[in-house]
Amino acid sequence: MTARGFGFVIRCNMQNLYMIRTGAFKRIAAAAAGVLFGLGAALGAEVTAQNAAEIQAALDRGDDVALVKGKVYEVNTPIRYQRNNQKIYTKGARRISDNAVLRVTSPEGGQVINGNGKSGILLERVTLDGNRYNLPPYPDGGPELAWFGGNGAKNQTIRNCVFMNSRTWSTFKLHEGGKDCKIENSVFFGCGADARGNGRFRDEKPFKWGDGISCAAERSTVSNNLIIDPTDVGVVIFCAPGTVVKDNVIASISRESLGGINLVDGLGFYEMDKGRADPADKDAMRRYDYRGVEVKNNLIDSRGARIHIAVPMGATVWVPRDKRVMTFVGAKILDNTLAGGASAYGFVADGVDGFEVRGNKSVGKHSGLADGRWDVLCDEPGPFLFNPEYVENSKLQPEFKPQKRSLQHLLRCNHGPLQQGGSPFRGYRAYSYGPEEARAVVQTAYIEMLGREPTAEELDRDARIINEHVIPADQFRWMLMDTPEFKSKNPGIGRNQLHDFRTGKWLKAIDAAAGSSDWKAKDVYEAAFKSMLSK
């Protein structure tokens, strides 16, 4: 008997008086209390864990896990939720700096936590550290740092967490089969290395870029997250019908990101009208379900490094094909803002049906021609571009301009020259910078590394130098680290500590800006960056 059922029994007509007088009421109440006690025991107790083994043992028993505030837990194998409704959280944590840290410490370790297929689970106020700059590169892309969603999973919640320095292809994944999951109020810092080699570990070989959030679980909510320096994509939407991506910040500070928020993938799981096309026909047109997807009120900022395509919509924008085989149906892209001096292509639609794109704006500066197809020159970069031939039944805001040549493969990562010689970036791409892009790289590096704006002379000189010599942003930061100014402000910090230094500085600034109350990603981002000055 459930508690609700018990309540129904004691309200039944004239039997109430009879049960009370005969003592039956007391017996039923005692039985109900026993049922409720049994349910509580089945849901598990709360255990304070002191190490990763104790975390897993508690989960195996069906318990919830409280982590110790500020404690670092060494994780060598993935921590796995075992039952629905389990919780892992840092007890007493009120701000980012209070979080317990789950840190990968084994070269074989890549994934920290796995909630695949479990409903109602919670991860709250925990930092996951992939330890990218103290472990050798993970082979073959590796597993996701955190895996949630999955078949049968509903109502998972991940909030107020930090995900940093992953060694794998994706930092956080919500897998298809999951529904009604949330990732919110969390910070992502440093995902992979970019096409120029920025963000690489010293022994890393090209190309190991990574996503911030990869979402294929339908009706999910991705909201109020701060995602800094992804290298593949900030947020990838793999169809995931009904999903809302809102109020997030995706910012490229020191390394380039191929995409900001992507709608370029068609999963068979979400193929519409299955069975109409011959499964063996690789050239048949298939339609994929993006209905109910909303991307709204996000900030995509190429402040210090290129974002190749801010919001690509359609498969061939990303991967060109002679024969089109995918159409995406039904998403809304509303009231988003593009910013930054290193912007490239903005909102691009090619291969969509029933899309609505309105209220968006760009305050950035767009430059740098993409690779395009191998046989066709692509269009010049700009904030709003579409292919009239392959945008059907859609409502586009008036700023959109029709393509002049091609909108296929608007990335700048495949066909350019490679770094040569003894460069630590050998094998990575050696593209020149657009004029505004080069200035954005230099200006942001000065603020981040030296705590000040460059002078007009320094900005002109260094923008010219990195362009003439095709210097990656990390290498330019090393140049700044070699100056007496940096050494006097940051004694004992060497080149190999660049990204550990950056991670610590950013997390400290974000922690100060977010504090212990509810925070907005856009406000925290701007306040954290502003605090870099004079530090």
Side-chain angles (χ1 to χ4, degrees):
M1 179 185 296
T2 66
R4 183 177 180 183
F6 172 68
F8 175 77
V9 168
I10 65 173
R11 290 194 300 272
C12 284
N13 301 324
M14 296 300 292
Q15 292 183 2
N16 291 352
L17 182 60
Y18 173 78
M19 288 190 293
I20 292 172
R21 287 178 176 174
T22 61
F25 180 83
K26 293 180 181 180
R27 290 193 297 273
I28 292 173
V35 170
L36 292 175
F37 176 81
L39 286 173
L43 291 175
E46 176 187 292
V47 174
T48 299
Q50 299 295 329
N51 54 53
E54 290 185 7
I55 296 173
Q56 191 60 63
L59 294 173
D60 290 345
R61 292 192 301 270
D63 297 330
D64 296 337
V65 179
L67 304 178
V68 178
K69 186 167 67 173
K71 184 178 179 65
V72 176
Y73 295 75
E74 296 186 354
V75 179
N76 296 316
T77 58
I79 294 167
R80 297 180 183 274
Y81 290 81
Q82 295 297 320
R83 298 186 185 179
N84 294 338
N85 303 308
Q86 286 186 311
K87 301 177 179 64
I88 302 174
Y89 67 99
T90 301
K91 192 168 187 176
R94 298 188 61 198
R95 57 192 305 150
I96 289 170
S97 54
D98 292 336
N99 286 4
V101 179
L102 304 179
R103 177 174 294 156
V104 177
T105 55
S106 167
E108 292 76 30
Q111 189 170 96
V112 171
I113 201 157
N114 190 309
N116 183 41
K118 300 297 183 289
S119 293
I121 58 177
L122 172 71
L123 180 69
E124 185 169 31
R125 295 197 180 279
V126 180
T127 293
L128 278 65
D129 182 2
N131 208 9
R132 178 178 181 82
Y133 299 104
N134 295 288
L135 292 172
Y138 200 96
D140 303 323
E144 308 78 5
L145 185 70
W147 182 351
F148 286 81
N151 288 335
K154 297 180 180 179
N155 300 312
Q156 297 180 341
T157 300
I158 299 89
R159 63 181 174 227
N160 294 314
C161 292
V162 175
F163 302 83
M164 56 191 256
N165 295 331
S166 61
R167 298 164 62 233
T168 59
W169 76 271
S170 179
T171 302
F172 179 90
K173 179 176 75 169
L174 281 171
H175 198 67
E176 58 266 27
K179 297 179 180 179
D180 303 306
C181 300
K182 295 180 181 178
I183 168 71
E184 58 191 11
N185 306 343
S186 295
V187 175
F188 295 74
F189 192 89
C191 314
D194 71 14
R196 295 178 185 268
N198 299 308
R200 67 184 290 274
F201 180 72
R202 60 181 178 271
D203 299 327
E204 190 168 341
K205 300 294 190 293
F207 293 92
K208 300 293 185 181
W209 35 56
D211 293 336
I213 298 173
S214 309
C215 179
E218 62 185 286
R219 299 198 306 264
S220 295
T221 302
V222 180
S223 67
N224 199 49
N225 301 291
L226 174 52
I227 305 169
I228 295 177
D229 282 351
T231 51
D232 197 345
V233 187
V235 179
V236 185
I237 307 169
F238 290 94
C239 300
T243 289
V244 176
V245 179
K246 65 178 182 178
D247 302 323
N248 303 284
V249 174
I250 294 109
S252 289
I253 299 296
S254 77
R255 59 191 92 171
E256 299 181 4
S257 184
L258 299 180
I261 300 175
N262 275 29
L263 300 86
V264 303
D265 294 281
L267 292 187
F269 191 89
Y270 295 115
E271 183 181 343
M272 302 169 69
D273 306 322
K274 285 185 180 179
R276 291 192 179 184
D278 181 356
D281 185 356
K282 302 301 182 183
D283 291 330
M285 178 62 74
R286 290 175 168 82
R287 293 160 61 83
Y288 295 89
D289 193 358
Y290 279 80
R291 291 173 298 182
V293 169
E294 292 188 2
V295 176
K296 60 184 182 182
N297 198 35
N298 301 284
L299 171 63
I300 302 174
D301 188 11
S302 56
R303 189 185 292 264
R306 181 184 182 90
I307 297 178
H308 295 228
I309 320 172
V311 184
M313 297 166 271
T316 62
V317 176
W318 202 254
V319 178
R321 282 182 64 100
D322 292 325
K323 174 73 173 178
R324 290 173 180 270
V325 296
M326 295 184 183
T327 298
F328 302 149
V329 181
K332 295 182 179 180
I333 315 297
L334 311 170
D335 303 320
N336 302 281
T337 299
L338 311 184
S343 296
Y345 296 84
F347 301 91
V348 184
D350 187 359
V352 301
D353 185 3
F355 269 49
E356 182 178 344
V357 187
R358 59 175 172 80
N360 305 284
K361 64 180 180 179
S362 173
V363 295
K365 298 174 181 177
H366 299 264
S367 65
L369 193 69
D371 284 342
R373 286 173 50 126
W374 52 92
D375 57 344
V376 179
L377 187 67
C378 64
D379 280 29
E380 296 289 335
F384 298 97
L385 299 166
F386 79 111
N387 182 351
E389 187 177 358
Y390 292 102
V391 174
E392 305 175 68
N393 307 309
S394 297
K395 299 177 182 178
L396 304 184
Q397 61 192 83
E399 293 90 341
F400 271 88
K401 297 181 179 179
Q403 75 169 32
K404 295 181 179 179
R405 296 186 293 267
S406 171
L407 299 179
Q408 293 196 41
H409 191 55
L410 297 183
L411 304 177
R412 200 181 194 197
C413 62
N414 294 116
H415 304 154
L418 299 178
Q419 295 273 4
Q420 301 295 327
S423 167
F425 301 97
R426 180 172 181 169
Y428 288 91
R429 298 296 171 187
Y431 291 99
S432 62
Y433 297 92
E436 298 296 343
E437 182 184 3
R439 295 172 72 85
V441 170
V442 169
Q443 183 178 37
T444 303
Y446 265 85
I447 293 171
E448 188 182 56
M449 304 303 293
L450 300 182
R452 67 173 177 86
E453 296 269 5
T455 66
E457 180 181 1
E458 288 169 333
L459 183 57
D460 290 341
R461 179 198 66 201
D462 292 340
R464 175 180 53 80
I465 287 173
I466 68 168
N467 221 343
E468 287 181 357
H469 298 280
V470 200
I471 293 174
D474 276 7
Q475 188 170 355
F476 181 66
R477 281 172 170 75
W478 291 344
M479 293 166 60
L480 295 178
M481 293 175 78
D482 289 338
T483 63
E485 181 179 356
F486 178 88
K487 291 178 180 179
S488 67
K489 292 180 177 179
N490 306 282
I493 303 297
R495 285 187 170 196
N496 286 339
Q497 297 168 283
L498 169 61
H499 290 292
D500 286 334
F501 168 77
R502 294 186 60 251
T503 301
K505 187 170 184 176
W506 269 98
L507 292 183
K508 183 177 180 180
I510 292 168
D511 180 61
S516 59
S517 59
D518 292 339
W519 51 272
K520 294 182 178 180
K522 294 176 185 177
D523 294 342
V524 167
Y525 169 60
E526 292 298 343
F529 188 79
K530 185 177 180 180
S531 76
M532 299 284 171
L533 291 166
S534 72
K535 292 291 180 69

